[in-house]
Amino acid sequence: MNNFIYNIPTKVYFGENQLGNLGKEVSSFGKRVLLVYGGGSIKKSGLYKRVIQELMRVGEEIYELSGVDPNPRIESVRTGAKICQDRMIDVVLAVGGGSVIDCSKFIAAATFYDGDAWDLSSKDVEITKCLPIVTILTLSATGSEMDDCGVISNLKTHDKIGRHHKLMQPKVSFLDPTLTYTVNAYQTACGAADILSHIFEVYFNLNKDIEMLDGFMEAMMKTVIKFAPIAIAEPTNYEARANLMWASSWAINGFIVGGKKQAWSCHPMEHQLSAVYDITHGLGLAILTPRWMRYYLNNKTLDKFCQFAINVFDVNKDLPKMEIALKGIDRLEDFLFGSLNLTKRLSVLGIDDSHFKEMAKKAATPNAFQPMTAADVENIYRLCL
């Protein structure tokens, strides 16, 4: 087991009617705020008006960057950083899901970088300073509200690249489950798949580790499997929305890592899918994950897949091991493509194999759960057609 340091400096306001604390928290960082949001759903829901009222109540000078896309673009980062530089912004307020928050993280870092903002992802240049980031979460999925990671897309180069940095960790996050009541069934399902994938990337690991972390991860998986269908059937079910929201944060805030050094598997493959085809991130992960599992089910990984099947899906532990493992993957497919009603194949989305070879080279990951060569990645892509 590896040594590790665990530190979560994000202050979280969880629950209903917490936005009364927004003005106090934002104003503690300064008087000029950049409000970042997406396509306008926060205006339809009334959230935008509430946020503006809270900011005006404490005398904030408000500037805005709207129109942040899913799979956020580097162009939005450049625009936001320019506003911050020109207007001497003190704090960035991200109101939305993971795309808006990720974009805001890079804006906060690019404000103090003299070169092109894309360098922060593509060249891994040093980040020495960031504007403070405050978030109001409206979609349970990426966990970006409570971690130091962001992912940005460059559609011109067909790249989607993530970056971790402690300075990009949000200072304060507001997690009100009622703000996700208007999230539709499709986005709720994609969010659930994303949460599960964050857990899988850590859970499927052959290193000796702290056993309690496996139990914690299995409990979170069962939480998502239980409450995602309820949230889809009953969009205003507070218990379901609250459980998904808190699972989203804890799936990727570093707690479950416990010193593991292993690289992720399905996320590199999906980043190439959404970089080239601009599909929803959670959907791409849902399509890839069961195929990745079947591809890497072997004598070396069998025990871990059996543990997953027995502890998460209650598969009969007295069956032959290979049967147990396969039943676990079957149950996961039933959940993703049955209970969540997500699309099962890339071909249904109009995707063919014309870019697979190029994508596979970028997604190859030798130090993953099982080493993934470019040929392996291409094979997994083909299994998804």
Side-chain angles (χ1 to χ4, degrees):
M1 190 179 86
N2 296 313
N3 294 346
F4 61 93
I5 298 171
Y6 181 65
N7 179 28
I8 292 295
T10 302
K11 181 179 182 180
V12 175
Y13 285 88
F14 191 96
E16 194 172 359
N17 299 321
Q18 294 276 29
L19 286 184
N21 298 291
L22 179 65
K24 174 185 69 175
E25 293 292 351
V26 170
S27 63
S28 71
F29 300 109
K31 285 298 180 184
R32 291 178 296 276
V33 57
L34 176 65
L35 172 60
V36 184
Y37 55 98
S41 62
I42 67 168
K43 291 186 175 179
K44 295 176 184 176
S45 69
L47 177 57
Y48 174 86
K49 183 178 180 181
R50 291 168 62 190
V51 170
I52 293 296
Q53 287 174 340
E54 286 299 321
L55 296 176
M56 291 180 66
R57 185 174 59 80
V58 293
E60 285 291 314
E61 189 176 326
I62 306 166
Y63 299 88
E64 297 186 21
L65 173 67
S66 62
V68 174
D69 294 296
N71 299 316
R73 318 287 197 254
I74 189 59
E75 290 81 5
S76 292
V77 176
R78 291 173 180 141
T79 301
K82 184 70 164 54
I83 296 172
C84 290
Q85 292 163 351
D86 291 347
R87 300 298 184 180
M88 294 183 291
I89 296 296
D90 297 311
V91 54
V92 179
L93 174 58
V95 183
S99 295
V100 170
I101 299 172
D102 282 7
C103 184
S104 297
K105 289 178 177 180
F106 280 93
I107 289 170
T111 298
F112 300 102
Y113 179 61
D114 291 335
D116 179 46
W118 182 239
D119 295 346
L120 297 173
S121 286
S122 64
K123 297 181 180 179
D124 203 31
V125 298
E126 185 180 6
I127 296 175
T128 58
K129 189 176 181 181
C130 265
L131 288 172
I133 303 157
V134 178
T135 83
I136 301 173
L137 186 65
T138 62
L139 174 65
S140 302
T142 70
S144 196
E145 66 279 357
M146 205 174 168
D147 72 11
D148 64 0
C149 181
V151 183
I152 294 296
S153 295
N154 187 329
L155 298 188
K156 292 181 180 178
T157 63
H158 286 169
D159 284 310
K160 182 177 179 180
I161 303 176
R163 174 80 186 269
H164 287 267
H165 198 281
K166 62 182 181 181
L167 293 178
M168 297 199 303
Q169 181 96 20
K171 301 293 186 184
V172 184
S173 287
F174 288 83
L175 277 61
D176 180 349
T178 67
L179 299 181
T180 64
Y181 283 177
T182 57
V183 177
N184 63 34
Y186 170 72
Q187 289 296 342
T188 300
C190 290
D194 197 4
I195 298 167
L196 284 176
S197 184
H198 293 156
I199 305 169
F200 292 157
E201 298 282 22
V202 181
Y203 179 81
F204 287 99
N205 193 302
L206 300 179
N207 297 332
K208 292 294 182 183
D209 210 324
I210 304 174
E211 187 173 330
M212 61 85 70
L213 290 176
D214 273 7
F216 186 85
M217 287 186 273
E218 288 160 3
M220 282 200 295
M221 292 180 219
K222 294 175 83 168
T223 294
V224 175
I225 290 164
K226 175 181 178 179
F227 286 106
I230 295 173
I232 289 170
E234 306 170 30
T236 59
N237 185 305
Y238 186 86
E239 183 183 13
R241 294 295 190 180
N243 273 276
L244 290 176
M245 182 169 273
W246 203 221
S248 167
S249 297
W250 281 90
I252 197 173
N253 69 7
F255 175 73
I256 63 176
V257 175
K260 298 180 183 70
K261 305 299 182 185
Q262 167 184 293
W264 287 15
S265 300
C266 289
H267 274 70
M269 292 191 289
E270 197 294 316
H271 285 171
Q272 287 306 305
L273 273 177
S274 49
V276 175
Y277 297 104
D278 198 25
I279 67 172
T280 303
H281 177 58
L283 175 61
L285 290 169
I287 294 171
L288 283 164
T289 298
R291 280 72 180 213
W292 166 79
M293 288 181 166
R294 293 185 189 280
Y295 190 84
Y296 283 112
L297 175 58
N298 54 47
N299 288 333
K300 187 176 180 181
T301 64
L302 180 59
D303 285 347
K304 195 67 185 185
F305 280 109
C306 286
Q307 179 186 339
F308 167 71
I310 293 166
N311 292 348
V312 177
F313 285 109
D314 300 317
V315 174
N316 184 350
K317 63 182 176 60
D318 296 324
L319 295 171
K321 280 191 171 183
M322 186 58 70
E323 185 176 351
I324 292 171
L326 288 170
K327 280 185 178 293
I329 300 171
D330 288 344
R331 300 275 176 86
L332 177 63
E333 287 187 316
D334 290 343
F335 173 72
L336 294 171
F337 309 126
S339 299
L340 298 187
N341 197 32
L342 289 171
T343 300
K344 190 173 185 177
R345 298 194 172 277
L346 293 176
S347 55
V348 176
L349 304 175
I351 296 173
D352 59 24
D353 64 358
S354 56
H355 295 287
F356 282 179
K357 193 169 293 294
E358 173 192 353
M359 292 160 55
K361 290 178 182 177
K362 293 182 179 181
T365 310
N367 57 334
F369 172 58
Q370 293 285 274
M372 294 199 314
T373 66
D376 292 325
V377 174
E378 189 172 355
N379 289 338
I380 294 170
Y381 283 147
R382 292 184 187 281
L383 291 173
C384 296
L385 286 172

Short mmCIF file of all heavy atoms in Angstrom, two decimals, residues 17 19 77 135 138 146 181 206 209 217 235-236 250 267 327 362:
data_model
loop_
_atom_site.label_atom_id
_atom_site.label_comp_id
_atom_site.label_asym_id
_atom_site.label_seq_id
_atom_site.Cartn_x
_atom_site.Cartn_y
_atom_site.Cartn_z
N ASN A 17 -32.05 25.64 0.04
CA ASN A 17 -32.07 27.02 0.56
C ASN A 17 -30.74 27.46 1.18
O ASN A 17 -30.71 28.19 2.16
CB ASN A 17 -33.20 27.19 1.58
CG ASN A 17 -34.56 26.95 0.97
OD1 ASN A 17 -34.82 27.32 -0.17
ND2 ASN A 17 -35.43 26.29 1.72
N LEU A 19 -28.47 29.11 -0.73
CA LEU A 19 -27.94 30.23 -1.53
C LEU A 19 -27.96 31.55 -0.78
O LEU A 19 -27.35 32.53 -1.23
CB LEU A 19 -28.72 30.35 -2.84
CG LEU A 19 -28.42 29.28 -3.90
CD1 LEU A 19 -29.18 29.58 -5.19
CD2 LEU A 19 -26.93 29.18 -4.18
N VAL A 77 -12.73 29.33 -22.73
CA VAL A 77 -11.69 29.63 -21.75
C VAL A 77 -10.96 30.90 -22.13
O VAL A 77 -10.72 31.78 -21.29
CB VAL A 77 -10.69 28.45 -21.63
CG1 VAL A 77 -9.56 28.81 -20.68
CG2 VAL A 77 -11.41 27.19 -21.16
N THR A 135 -18.67 27.49 -6.87
CA THR A 135 -19.56 26.78 -7.78
C THR A 135 -20.96 26.61 -7.20
O THR A 135 -21.13 26.49 -5.99
CB THR A 135 -19.02 25.37 -8.14
OG1 THR A 135 -19.35 24.44 -7.11
CG2 THR A 135 -17.51 25.39 -8.33
N THR A 138 -25.62 22.21 -10.75
CA THR A 138 -26.97 21.96 -11.26
C THR A 138 -27.11 20.58 -11.92
O THR A 138 -28.18 20.26 -12.43
CB THR A 138 -27.36 23.03 -12.30
OG1 THR A 138 -26.46 22.96 -13.41
CG2 THR A 138 -27.32 24.42 -11.69
N MET A 146 -15.91 19.46 -6.43
CA MET A 146 -15.17 19.12 -5.21
C MET A 146 -13.83 18.47 -5.52
O MET A 146 -13.29 17.72 -4.72
CB MET A 146 -16.04 18.20 -4.35
CG MET A 146 -15.73 18.23 -2.86
SD MET A 146 -16.96 17.21 -1.99
CE MET A 146 -16.22 17.09 -0.37
N TYR A 181 -33.74 19.20 -10.04
CA TYR A 181 -35.08 18.71 -10.34
C TYR A 181 -35.43 18.82 -11.83
O TYR A 181 -36.20 18.01 -12.36
CB TYR A 181 -36.14 19.48 -9.54
CG TYR A 181 -36.27 19.09 -8.08
CD1 TYR A 181 -37.15 19.78 -7.25
CD2 TYR A 181 -35.53 18.05 -7.53
CE1 TYR A 181 -37.29 19.45 -5.91
CE2 TYR A 181 -35.66 17.72 -6.19
CZ TYR A 181 -36.54 18.42 -5.38
OH TYR A 181 -36.68 18.10 -4.05
N LEU A 206 -5.54 -3.86 -9.02
CA LEU A 206 -4.98 -5.10 -8.50
C LEU A 206 -4.00 -4.86 -7.36
O LEU A 206 -3.41 -5.81 -6.83
CB LEU A 206 -4.28 -5.87 -9.64
CG LEU A 206 -5.20 -6.27 -10.80
CD1 LEU A 206 -4.41 -7.00 -11.88
CD2 LEU A 206 -6.36 -7.13 -10.31
N ASP A 209 -4.57 -2.74 -0.94
CA ASP A 209 -4.99 -1.40 -0.52
C ASP A 209 -5.79 -1.48 0.77
O ASP A 209 -5.93 -2.54 1.37
CB ASP A 209 -5.85 -0.78 -1.64
CG ASP A 209 -5.74 0.73 -1.66
OD1 ASP A 209 -5.64 1.33 -0.59
OD2 ASP A 209 -5.76 1.30 -2.75
N MET A 217 -16.63 2.20 -1.88
CA MET A 217 -16.94 2.31 -3.31
C MET A 217 -18.13 1.46 -3.70
O MET A 217 -18.98 1.87 -4.49
CB MET A 217 -15.70 1.94 -4.15
CG MET A 217 -14.62 3.00 -4.12
SD MET A 217 -13.24 2.65 -5.24
CE MET A 217 -12.20 1.64 -4.19
N PRO A 235 -38.63 13.02 -10.91
CA PRO A 235 -37.59 14.04 -10.99
C PRO A 235 -37.46 14.93 -9.76
O PRO A 235 -36.37 15.47 -9.49
CB PRO A 235 -38.00 14.87 -12.21
CG PRO A 235 -38.83 13.95 -13.03
CD PRO A 235 -39.56 13.08 -12.05
N THR A 236 -38.54 15.08 -8.98
CA THR A 236 -38.47 15.95 -7.81
C THR A 236 -38.37 15.15 -6.50
O THR A 236 -38.68 15.66 -5.43
CB THR A 236 -39.70 16.88 -7.74
OG1 THR A 236 -40.90 16.09 -7.69
CG2 THR A 236 -39.75 17.80 -8.95
N TRP A 250 -18.23 12.58 -3.98
CA TRP A 250 -17.31 11.67 -3.29
C TRP A 250 -16.71 10.63 -4.22
O TRP A 250 -15.71 9.99 -3.88
CB TRP A 250 -18.02 11.03 -2.11
CG TRP A 250 -18.06 11.99 -0.96
CD1 TRP A 250 -19.03 12.91 -0.69
CD2 TRP A 250 -17.04 12.20 0.01
NE1 TRP A 250 -18.68 13.67 0.41
CE2 TRP A 250 -17.46 13.25 0.86
CE3 TRP A 250 -15.81 11.59 0.25
CZ2 TRP A 250 -16.69 13.70 1.93
CZ3 TRP A 250 -15.05 12.04 1.33
CH2 TRP A 250 -15.49 13.08 2.14
N HIS A 267 -11.88 6.53 -19.28
CA HIS A 267 -11.91 7.97 -19.54
C HIS A 267 -11.01 8.40 -20.70
O HIS A 267 -11.44 9.19 -21.54
CB HIS A 267 -11.60 8.74 -18.27
CG HIS A 267 -12.80 8.99 -17.41
ND1 HIS A 267 -13.43 7.99 -16.72
CD2 HIS A 267 -13.50 10.13 -17.15
CE1 HIS A 267 -14.48 8.49 -16.07
NE2 HIS A 267 -14.54 9.79 -16.31
N LYS A 327 -21.89 -12.60 -15.09
CA LYS A 327 -23.21 -12.16 -14.64
C LYS A 327 -23.15 -10.74 -14.09
O LYS A 327 -24.09 -9.95 -14.27
CB LYS A 327 -23.76 -13.11 -13.57
CG LYS A 327 -24.36 -14.40 -14.13
CD LYS A 327 -24.98 -15.23 -13.03
CE LYS A 327 -25.63 -16.51 -13.60
NZ LYS A 327 -26.81 -16.20 -14.46
N LYS A 362 -4.00 7.94 -29.27
CA LYS A 362 -4.03 8.96 -28.22
C LYS A 362 -4.54 8.40 -26.90
O LYS A 362 -4.20 8.92 -25.83
CB LYS A 362 -4.92 10.13 -28.66
CG LYS A 362 -4.37 10.93 -29.82
CD LYS A 362 -5.29 12.09 -30.17
CE LYS A 362 -4.74 12.92 -31.32
NZ LYS A 362 -5.61 14.07 -31.65
#
